[in-house]
Amino acid sequence: MTKICRTCGQTKPETDFYALPRGAPGRRANCKACTSDWRREHYARSGGRDISFEQVLRQKYGITLDEYNALARRQAHRCAICRRPQHSRLRKGATEVRRLEVDHDHVTGTIRGLLCHRCNILVWALEDNHTTIDAIRRYVEEFRESFANGAPL
């Protein structure tokens, strides 16, 4: 079976149209290609990546994008713990600068600062269990001592 797209006017197979939501019979009026184009344009018009990030900031942390950016500038766009910028590895060894993560106290909800992903994970893991850091330190020191003494892995 075929169907005519309401946007581009082309006749296409029904499989080129998304199904209606919630199991309703039939297909949407616009083809998948036109739907994708509209979504891409709408995303760009509405602020793109920043709009959804701003929504997360507002809903989860109660701050605006401007407040986040001011905090990032105060920290020179570097992690509050290790002082490195946030990077992600791309193909062929390239890297991309990424946004720092918002660190907050899980009890009070108060924002402490911006952290790279690694430091944020460490803080999360150690926040509720302070004895873990001593166990990690012992684990690393014991490995280094045994390695220095020639112990096999």
Side-chain angles (χ1 to χ4, degrees):
M1 296 201 94
T2 61
K3 184 174 172 100
I4 298 172
C5 175
R6 180 174 31 178
T7 303
C8 67
Q10 293 181 15
T11 302
K12 297 183 176 188
E14 275 194 354
T15 56
D16 283 2
F17 294 80
Y18 289 111
L20 289 172
R22 294 180 202 90
R27 301 279 178 164
R28 293 185 180 259
N30 301 315
C31 70
K32 291 178 180 179
C34 290
T35 301
S36 293
D37 290 345
W38 180 86
R39 286 181 177 161
R40 196 175 300 108
E41 290 168 11
H42 178 71
Y43 182 76
R45 273 194 317 271
S46 65
R49 194 170 88 139
D50 286 338
I51 192 68
S52 57
F53 181 63
E54 188 164 17
Q55 288 171 348
V56 169
L57 290 174
R58 199 173 330 115
Q59 291 169 1
K60 196 169 181 180
Y61 306 111
I63 63 171
T64 65
L65 184 59
D66 290 338
E67 291 169 321
Y68 172 90
N69 289 333
L71 185 54
R73 281 191 299 276
R74 279 197 299 275
Q75 290 183 204
H77 299 276
R78 295 178 177 272
C79 173
I81 294 175
C82 70
R83 302 293 183 211
R84 291 186 215 150
Q86 171 90 307
H87 284 95
S88 63
R89 294 181 195 266
L90 302 174
R91 293 183 196 172
K92 298 181 182 177
T95 60
E96 167 187 59
V97 177
R98 297 186 57 203
R99 289 187 177 111
L100 292 165
E101 298 177 12
V102 178
D103 174 46
H104 67 287
D105 185 282
H106 289 237
V107 175
T108 65
T110 306
I111 294 173
R112 294 185 282 228
L114 302 178
L115 304 178
C116 69
H117 181 70
R118 284 182 176 179
C119 290
N120 197 30
I121 293 294
L122 286 170
V123 168
W124 169 80
L126 299 173
E127 187 171 30
D128 294 330
N129 189 353
H130 301 291
T131 59
T132 304
I133 197 163
D134 294 328
I136 292 170
R137 185 180 298 117
R138 278 193 308 277
Y139 171 77
V140 171
E141 287 172 356
E142 287 171 8
F143 172 81
R144 287 185 178 159
E145 286 174 18
S146 67
F147 187 76
N149 294 331
L153 296 175

Short mmCIF file of all heavy atoms in Angstrom, two decimals, residues 63-102:
data_model
loop_
_atom_site.label_atom_id
_atom_site.label_comp_id
_atom_site.label_asym_id
_atom_site.label_seq_id
_atom_site.Cartn_x
_atom_site.Cartn_y
_atom_site.Cartn_z
N ILE A 63 18.58 26.13 38.80
CA ILE A 63 19.40 27.25 38.30
C ILE A 63 19.14 27.44 36.81
O ILE A 63 18.64 26.55 36.14
CB ILE A 63 20.91 27.04 38.56
CG1 ILE A 63 21.43 25.80 37.81
CG2 ILE A 63 21.20 26.94 40.05
CD1 ILE A 63 22.95 25.64 37.85
N THR A 64 19.53 28.60 36.32
CA THR A 64 19.38 28.90 34.90
C THR A 64 20.68 28.59 34.17
O THR A 64 21.72 28.38 34.80
CB THR A 64 19.04 30.39 34.68
OG1 THR A 64 20.16 31.17 35.12
CG2 THR A 64 17.78 30.79 35.45
N LEU A 65 20.63 28.61 32.84
CA LEU A 65 21.83 28.41 32.04
C LEU A 65 22.83 29.53 32.30
O LEU A 65 24.04 29.29 32.37
CB LEU A 65 21.46 28.34 30.55
CG LEU A 65 22.60 28.04 29.58
CD1 LEU A 65 23.26 26.70 29.89
CD2 LEU A 65 22.08 28.05 28.15
N ASP A 66 22.34 30.75 32.50
CA ASP A 66 23.24 31.87 32.81
C ASP A 66 23.96 31.65 34.13
O ASP A 66 25.16 31.94 34.25
CB ASP A 66 22.47 33.19 32.86
CG ASP A 66 22.00 33.64 31.48
OD1 ASP A 66 22.60 33.20 30.47
OD2 ASP A 66 21.04 34.43 31.42
N GLU A 67 23.26 31.12 35.13
CA GLU A 67 23.90 30.84 36.43
C GLU A 67 24.93 29.72 36.29
O GLU A 67 26.02 29.79 36.88
CB GLU A 67 22.84 30.47 37.47
CG GLU A 67 21.97 31.65 37.87
CD GLU A 67 20.77 31.24 38.70
OE1 GLU A 67 20.16 30.18 38.41
OE2 GLU A 67 20.44 31.99 39.64
N TYR A 68 24.61 28.71 35.50
CA TYR A 68 25.57 27.63 35.24
C TYR A 68 26.82 28.20 34.56
O TYR A 68 27.95 27.90 34.96
CB TYR A 68 24.94 26.55 34.36
CG TYR A 68 25.94 25.50 33.89
CD1 TYR A 68 26.18 24.37 34.65
CD2 TYR A 68 26.65 25.67 32.70
CE1 TYR A 68 27.11 23.43 34.23
CE2 TYR A 68 27.57 24.73 32.28
CZ TYR A 68 27.80 23.61 33.05
OH TYR A 68 28.72 22.69 32.65
N ASN A 69 26.61 29.02 33.52
CA ASN A 69 27.74 29.59 32.79
C ASN A 69 28.58 30.49 33.68
O ASN A 69 29.82 30.50 33.56
CB ASN A 69 27.25 30.35 31.56
CG ASN A 69 26.73 29.41 30.49
OD1 ASN A 69 27.15 28.26 30.40
ND2 ASN A 69 25.80 29.88 29.67
N ALA A 70 27.96 31.24 34.59
CA ALA A 70 28.71 32.08 35.52
C ALA A 70 29.57 31.22 36.45
O ALA A 70 30.74 31.54 36.72
CB ALA A 70 27.76 32.96 36.34
N LEU A 71 29.01 30.12 36.94
CA LEU A 71 29.77 29.20 37.79
C LEU A 71 30.93 28.58 37.01
O LEU A 71 32.05 28.48 37.52
CB LEU A 71 28.84 28.11 38.33
CG LEU A 71 29.41 27.11 39.32
CD1 LEU A 71 30.05 27.81 40.51
CD2 LEU A 71 28.32 26.16 39.79
N ALA A 72 30.68 28.22 35.76
CA ALA A 72 31.75 27.66 34.91
C ALA A 72 32.86 28.69 34.70
O ALA A 72 34.05 28.35 34.76
CB ALA A 72 31.18 27.21 33.58
N ARG A 73 32.50 29.95 34.50
CA ARG A 73 33.52 31.01 34.33
C ARG A 73 34.32 31.20 35.61
O ARG A 73 35.54 31.36 35.57
CB ARG A 73 32.86 32.32 33.91
CG ARG A 73 32.51 32.40 32.43
CD ARG A 73 32.12 33.79 31.99
NE ARG A 73 30.96 34.29 32.70
CZ ARG A 73 29.69 34.04 32.36
NH1 ARG A 73 29.43 33.29 31.32
NH2 ARG A 73 28.69 34.55 33.06
N ARG A 74 33.65 31.17 36.77
CA ARG A 74 34.36 31.31 38.06
C ARG A 74 35.37 30.19 38.25
O ARG A 74 36.41 30.38 38.88
CB ARG A 74 33.37 31.32 39.23
CG ARG A 74 32.73 32.66 39.47
CD ARG A 74 32.07 32.76 40.85
NE ARG A 74 31.02 31.81 41.09
CZ ARG A 74 29.74 31.97 40.73
NH1 ARG A 74 29.37 33.07 40.10
NH2 ARG A 74 28.85 31.05 41.00
N GLN A 75 35.06 29.02 37.71
CA GLN A 75 35.97 27.87 37.82
C GLN A 75 36.89 27.77 36.60
O GLN A 75 37.59 26.76 36.45
CB GLN A 75 35.16 26.57 37.93
CG GLN A 75 34.44 26.41 39.24
CD GLN A 75 33.71 25.08 39.34
OE1 GLN A 75 32.77 24.99 40.08
NE2 GLN A 75 34.13 24.05 38.62
N ALA A 76 36.91 28.77 35.75
CA ALA A 76 37.72 28.79 34.53
C ALA A 76 37.41 27.58 33.64
O ALA A 76 38.29 27.04 32.98
CB ALA A 76 39.21 28.86 34.86
N HIS A 77 36.15 27.13 33.65
CA HIS A 77 35.69 25.98 32.85
C HIS A 77 36.49 24.72 33.15
O HIS A 77 36.75 23.91 32.27
CB HIS A 77 35.70 26.31 31.36
CG HIS A 77 34.81 27.45 31.01
ND1 HIS A 77 33.46 27.28 30.78
CD2 HIS A 77 35.04 28.78 30.90
CE1 HIS A 77 32.92 28.45 30.52
NE2 HIS A 77 33.84 29.38 30.59
N ARG A 78 36.88 24.59 34.42
CA ARG A 78 37.65 23.42 34.86
C ARG A 78 36.99 22.78 36.06
O ARG A 78 36.28 23.43 36.83
CB ARG A 78 39.08 23.82 35.22
CG ARG A 78 39.84 24.31 33.99
CD ARG A 78 41.26 24.76 34.34
NE ARG A 78 41.96 25.14 33.13
CZ ARG A 78 42.63 24.29 32.36
NH1 ARG A 78 42.70 23.02 32.69
NH2 ARG A 78 43.24 24.70 31.27
N CYS A 79 37.24 21.50 36.24
CA CYS A 79 36.69 20.74 37.36
C CYS A 79 37.13 21.35 38.68
O CYS A 79 38.30 21.71 38.85
CB CYS A 79 37.16 19.29 37.26
SG CYS A 79 36.73 18.26 38.67
N ALA A 80 36.23 21.47 39.64
CA ALA A 80 36.55 22.06 40.95
C ALA A 80 37.50 21.17 41.75
O ALA A 80 38.13 21.66 42.69
CB ALA A 80 35.26 22.29 41.74
N ILE A 81 37.65 19.90 41.40
CA ILE A 81 38.54 19.01 42.14
C ILE A 81 39.88 18.83 41.44
O ILE A 81 40.93 19.17 41.99
CB ILE A 81 37.87 17.64 42.38
CG1 ILE A 81 36.67 17.82 43.31
CG2 ILE A 81 38.87 16.64 42.97
CD1 ILE A 81 35.86 16.56 43.53
N CYS A 82 39.88 18.32 40.21
CA CYS A 82 41.15 18.01 39.52
C CYS A 82 41.66 19.16 38.66
O CYS A 82 42.77 19.11 38.16
CB CYS A 82 41.00 16.75 38.67
SG CYS A 82 39.95 16.94 37.21
N ARG A 83 40.85 20.18 38.49
CA ARG A 83 41.21 21.40 37.74
C ARG A 83 41.44 21.16 36.24
O ARG A 83 42.05 21.96 35.56
CB ARG A 83 42.45 22.07 38.32
CG ARG A 83 42.33 22.45 39.77
CD ARG A 83 41.32 23.53 39.94
NE ARG A 83 41.23 23.95 41.33
CZ ARG A 83 40.15 24.40 41.90
NH1 ARG A 83 39.06 24.53 41.18
NH2 ARG A 83 40.12 24.75 43.15
N ARG A 84 40.92 20.05 35.72
CA ARG A 84 41.02 19.78 34.29
C ARG A 84 39.70 20.11 33.61
O ARG A 84 38.65 19.98 34.21
CB ARG A 84 41.33 18.30 34.04
CG ARG A 84 42.69 17.91 34.49
CD ARG A 84 42.96 16.47 34.08
NE ARG A 84 43.77 15.87 35.12
CZ ARG A 84 43.74 14.61 35.45
NH1 ARG A 84 42.94 13.77 34.84
NH2 ARG A 84 44.50 14.15 36.40
N PRO A 85 39.75 20.49 32.32
CA PRO A 85 38.48 20.67 31.59
C PRO A 85 37.86 19.31 31.31
O PRO A 85 38.56 18.29 31.30
CB PRO A 85 38.90 21.37 30.30
CG PRO A 85 40.35 21.06 30.14
CD PRO A 85 40.92 20.83 31.52
N GLN A 86 36.58 19.28 31.10
CA GLN A 86 35.88 18.03 30.79
C GLN A 86 36.08 17.70 29.32
O GLN A 86 35.80 18.54 28.46
CB GLN A 86 34.38 18.20 31.09
CG GLN A 86 33.51 17.09 30.62
CD GLN A 86 33.35 16.00 31.65
OE1 GLN A 86 34.32 15.48 32.16
NE2 GLN A 86 32.13 15.66 31.95
N HIS A 87 36.57 16.53 29.01
CA HIS A 87 36.77 16.11 27.63
C HIS A 87 36.12 14.75 27.41
O HIS A 87 35.96 13.98 28.34
CB HIS A 87 38.27 15.97 27.30
CG HIS A 87 38.96 17.26 27.09
ND1 HIS A 87 39.63 17.90 28.10
CD2 HIS A 87 39.06 18.07 26.02
CE1 HIS A 87 40.13 19.03 27.65
NE2 HIS A 87 39.79 19.16 26.38
N SER A 88 35.78 14.49 26.18
CA SER A 88 35.36 13.14 25.82
C SER A 88 36.21 12.72 24.63
O SER A 88 36.57 13.54 23.80
CB SER A 88 33.87 13.09 25.47
OG SER A 88 33.62 13.88 24.34
N ARG A 89 36.52 11.45 24.59
CA ARG A 89 37.35 10.94 23.50
C ARG A 89 36.48 10.65 22.29
O ARG A 89 35.42 10.06 22.39
CB ARG A 89 38.06 9.67 23.94
CG ARG A 89 39.06 9.92 25.04
CD ARG A 89 39.74 8.63 25.41
NE ARG A 89 40.44 8.78 26.67
CZ ARG A 89 41.71 9.11 26.76
NH1 ARG A 89 42.41 9.32 25.67
NH2 ARG A 89 42.29 9.23 27.93
N LEU A 90 36.99 11.05 21.15
CA LEU A 90 36.32 10.79 19.88
C LEU A 90 37.14 9.78 19.11
O LEU A 90 38.19 9.32 19.57
CB LEU A 90 36.15 12.08 19.09
CG LEU A 90 35.38 13.20 19.79
CD1 LEU A 90 35.42 14.47 18.96
CD2 LEU A 90 33.95 12.78 20.05
N ARG A 91 36.73 9.47 17.92
CA ARG A 91 37.49 8.53 17.09
C ARG A 91 38.85 9.11 16.73
O ARG A 91 39.04 10.31 16.66
CB ARG A 91 36.73 8.22 15.82
CG ARG A 91 35.47 7.46 16.06
CD ARG A 91 34.81 7.14 14.76
NE ARG A 91 33.44 6.74 15.03
CZ ARG A 91 32.55 6.54 14.11
NH1 ARG A 91 32.85 6.71 12.85
NH2 ARG A 91 31.34 6.18 14.43
N LYS A 92 39.78 8.22 16.48
CA LYS A 92 41.13 8.55 16.02
C LYS A 92 41.87 9.48 16.97
O LYS A 92 42.63 10.35 16.57
CB LYS A 92 41.08 9.16 14.62
CG LYS A 92 40.50 8.21 13.59
CD LYS A 92 40.47 8.81 12.21
CE LYS A 92 39.85 7.84 11.24
NZ LYS A 92 39.73 8.38 9.91
N GLY A 93 41.62 9.35 18.29
CA GLY A 93 42.38 10.09 19.28
C GLY A 93 41.96 11.53 19.49
O GLY A 93 42.51 12.22 20.33
N ALA A 94 41.00 12.03 18.75
CA ALA A 94 40.55 13.41 18.92
C ALA A 94 39.72 13.52 20.21
O ALA A 94 39.19 12.55 20.70
CB ALA A 94 39.71 13.85 17.72
N THR A 95 39.66 14.72 20.75
CA THR A 95 38.84 14.95 21.93
C THR A 95 37.90 16.12 21.68
O THR A 95 38.10 16.92 20.78
CB THR A 95 39.70 15.27 23.17
OG1 THR A 95 40.48 16.43 22.91
CG2 THR A 95 40.58 14.11 23.55
N GLU A 96 36.88 16.20 22.50
CA GLU A 96 35.88 17.25 22.40
C GLU A 96 35.65 17.82 23.80
O GLU A 96 35.49 17.06 24.76
CB GLU A 96 34.58 16.63 21.86
CG GLU A 96 33.37 17.51 21.97
CD GLU A 96 32.11 16.77 21.56
OE1 GLU A 96 31.79 15.74 22.18
OE2 GLU A 96 31.45 17.23 20.62
N VAL A 97 35.67 19.14 23.94
CA VAL A 97 35.39 19.75 25.23
C VAL A 97 33.90 19.62 25.51
O VAL A 97 33.07 19.90 24.65
CB VAL A 97 35.82 21.23 25.25
CG1 VAL A 97 35.46 21.87 26.58
CG2 VAL A 97 37.31 21.35 25.00
N ARG A 98 33.56 19.16 26.70
CA ARG A 98 32.17 18.96 27.08
C ARG A 98 31.84 19.79 28.31
O ARG A 98 32.74 20.28 28.99
CB ARG A 98 31.92 17.49 27.38
CG ARG A 98 32.13 16.62 26.15
CD ARG A 98 31.77 15.19 26.38
NE ARG A 98 30.38 15.11 26.82
CZ ARG A 98 29.90 14.08 27.51
NH1 ARG A 98 30.68 13.08 27.83
NH2 ARG A 98 28.65 14.04 27.88
N ARG A 99 30.56 19.90 28.60
CA ARG A 99 30.13 20.64 29.78
C ARG A 99 30.53 19.89 31.05
O ARG A 99 30.49 18.66 31.10
CB ARG A 99 28.62 20.80 29.78
CG ARG A 99 28.11 21.73 28.76
CD ARG A 99 26.60 21.92 28.99
NE ARG A 99 26.09 22.88 28.06
CZ ARG A 99 25.27 22.59 27.06
NH1 ARG A 99 24.89 21.36 26.87
NH2 ARG A 99 24.84 23.52 26.25
N LEU A 100 30.85 20.65 32.07
CA LEU A 100 31.10 20.06 33.38
C LEU A 100 29.76 19.67 34.01
O LEU A 100 28.72 20.26 33.70
CB LEU A 100 31.84 21.05 34.28
CG LEU A 100 33.27 21.37 33.84
CD1 LEU A 100 33.78 22.62 34.55
CD2 LEU A 100 34.18 20.19 34.12
N GLU A 101 29.79 18.70 34.90
CA GLU A 101 28.58 18.23 35.56
C GLU A 101 28.34 19.00 36.84
O GLU A 101 29.28 19.39 37.53
CB GLU A 101 28.71 16.73 35.85
CG GLU A 101 28.87 15.93 34.57
CD GLU A 101 29.07 14.45 34.81
OE1 GLU A 101 28.88 13.97 35.96
OE2 GLU A 101 29.43 13.76 33.85
N VAL A 102 27.08 19.21 37.17
CA VAL A 102 26.71 19.94 38.38
C VAL A 102 26.81 18.98 39.56
O VAL A 102 26.17 17.93 39.58
CB VAL A 102 25.28 20.50 38.28
CG1 VAL A 102 24.88 21.20 39.57
CG2 VAL A 102 25.16 21.45 37.09
#
